[in-house]
Amino acid sequence: MNSVKNIFSIKDLENISGIKAHTIRIWEKRYNVFAPLRTESNIRYYDLSNLQKLLNITLLHNHGYKISRISKIPDEKIPEIVREIITTKSVKNHAISAFKMAMINFDQTLFFKTYDELLSEKSFREVFFDIFIPLMNEIGLLWQTDTISPAQEHFISYLIKQKLLIVTENLQIQKPKKTDRVFVLFLPANEIHELGLMYLNYEILFHGYQTIFLGESVPLQSLVAIKNNFENITFISYMTVEPNKEEINKYIKLMNSQILNDETSKVWLLGRMVEFIDDNNISPKTTIFRSINELVDYL
């Protein structure tokens, strides 16, 4: 998908809102809550205003408003009611919806406004765990289903990275409190999805350790060289798409022979591709984590 969408199919609305297409059709036909547009061949499609309205209606519906009642509310009043009922309970869903709209519209102002509102009530760690991790999981699914473009995914990811870099720098200027181990964070060759690894770097710094952040597409040989500078290293890698499932076990064997060939080095791995690692190839010095939360709890 190379173009940026500003019109959507009913399946796109389902993917973004979580409301089944069948339900959307009922709301549309029975209650006239949407006014879909039509192509010259009479195929329904929806614009950004339809999507925004659906996200607001979804929030109201989740708070006990019946669709028959919502259908009688003037369109201009719906956003006002949404703002009035936002509570601690609903702020997560509202924020995720707002960030999705910011992504779809390339709206930096909406992103910063939503982020600042969250940060006035929550810590950065709460914002990342409660909002950004679920958001990025949803965005991954939207990208896979061709609902959003790579440009939209990169746009929102970069804005999150900006915020992450600011709080990370505040920790980097502090002297490490724990000196028994150094963490080296890297992505394998051709792996470029570094947001999760960046957050782990922040968390490890937050816990008082020294980190060496190498970032994306790092050859194994570079890790061998780093062992000449530090002792008691824990290497952390986040494998989202690389090495692919055909290559990952070969990669793990190389890692075992080149990185884990001393007494103190360890490797922690996580990401989508770790499920393809053969248990027989996992060294006693290697720990597999199923999520960021699991690794953070382990620290």
Side-chain angles (χ1 to χ4, degrees):
M1 181 176 181
N2 296 316
S3 61
V4 175
K5 283 191 177 183
N6 54 23
I7 60 174
F8 305 90
S9 68
I10 196 164
K11 190 64 178 177
D12 291 333
L13 295 189
E14 176 182 305
N15 290 335
I16 295 171
S17 69
I19 301 296
K20 294 294 183 185
H22 174 70
T23 301
I24 295 173
R25 287 192 188 96
I26 292 174
W27 289 0
E28 176 189 320
K29 292 178 180 179
R30 188 176 300 172
Y31 299 102
N32 297 314
V33 293
F34 302 112
L37 307 171
R38 291 183 181 271
T39 65
E40 291 181 0
S41 55
N42 207 35
I43 297 174
R44 282 187 182 87
Y45 67 93
Y46 303 82
D47 60 13
L48 285 169
S49 63
N50 290 139
L51 174 58
Q52 179 68 76
K53 187 176 182 182
L54 175 60
L55 292 173
N56 283 334
I57 288 174
T58 301
L59 188 142
L60 293 178
H61 192 256
N62 290 340
H63 278 76
Y65 281 67
K66 292 184 178 181
I67 192 66
S68 56
R69 178 183 175 191
I70 297 172
S71 67
K72 296 173 184 175
I73 301 172
D75 285 355
E76 66 274 13
K77 291 291 184 183
I78 290 178
E80 294 178 18
I81 298 172
V82 166
R83 286 192 291 270
E84 288 172 4
I85 67 171
I86 291 172
T87 61
T88 303
K89 235 177 185 180
S90 67
V91 71
K92 173 181 174 180
N93 291 333
H94 175 71
I96 289 176
S97 292
F99 283 134
K100 285 180 186 175
M101 288 304 301
M103 172 186 67
I104 290 166
N105 288 318
F106 296 99
D107 188 341
Q108 294 181 133
T109 301
L110 177 58
F111 176 91
F112 292 130
K113 178 177 181 291
T114 305
Y115 177 80
D116 289 342
E117 288 172 354
L118 287 170
L119 212 58
S120 68
E121 301 290 337
K122 295 173 174 282
S123 68
F124 175 79
R125 296 175 78 226
E126 289 173 324
V127 171
F128 202 95
F129 271 105
D130 295 346
I131 311 297
F132 284 153
I133 289 179
L135 173 67
M136 295 310 295
N137 287 338
E138 288 193 35
I139 288 172
L141 293 173
L142 294 176
W143 182 81
Q144 288 173 25
T145 56
D146 218 24
T147 305
I148 61 171
S149 73
Q152 288 164 323
E153 181 193 19
H154 284 286
F155 171 78
I156 196 75
S157 296
Y158 179 72
L159 291 175
I160 296 173
K161 285 180 183 179
Q162 279 186 308
K163 296 303 182 184
L164 189 48
L165 286 169
I166 292 169
V167 294
T168 299
E169 183 178 5
N170 291 336
L171 293 174
Q172 286 174 321
I173 61 178
Q174 301 175 23
K175 189 174 181 179
K177 297 176 182 177
K178 300 175 183 177
T179 57
D180 57 311
R181 182 156 292 275
V182 173
F183 288 85
V184 176
L185 297 91
F186 72 99
L187 297 180
N190 302 316
E191 177 63 79
I192 60 172
H193 296 82
E194 65 176 353
L195 185 57
L197 194 74
M198 289 175 65
Y199 182 71
L200 287 174
N201 187 49
Y202 164 80
E203 275 289 347
I204 294 166
L205 288 166
F206 182 85
H207 281 77
Y209 291 99
Q210 180 182 355
T211 67
I212 310 295
F213 186 85
L214 302 181
E216 61 187 57
S217 201
V218 178
L220 280 176
Q221 193 57 41
S222 298
L223 304 179
V224 175
I226 253 187
K227 292 173 66 175
N228 297 326
N229 296 79
F230 299 96
E231 295 181 354
N232 297 327
I233 298 175
T234 296
F235 295 93
I236 300 181
S237 191
Y238 205 121
M239 301 172 171
T240 303
V241 295
E242 293 289 344
N244 61 48
K245 60 183 179 180
E246 286 78 24
E247 297 291 329
I248 193 163
N249 282 293
K250 178 182 177 182
Y251 183 84
I252 296 301
K253 288 178 181 178
L254 283 173
M255 184 179 285
N256 291 342
S257 63
Q258 295 183 22
I259 307 302
L260 297 177
N261 56 358
D262 58 57
E263 294 183 1
T264 61
S265 294
K266 298 179 181 178
V267 170
W268 292 0
L269 302 174
L270 72 165
R272 201 178 300 155
M273 301 312 297
V274 299
E275 66 179 280
F276 299 107
I277 299 175
D278 189 327
D279 289 345
N280 295 324
N281 294 328
I282 299 175
S283 162
K285 297 179 181 179
T286 300
T287 305
I288 305 291
F289 296 93
R290 302 301 169 186
S291 67
I292 289 176
N293 306 56
E294 185 180 343
L295 192 152
V296 170
D297 289 342
Y298 190 78
L299 282 171

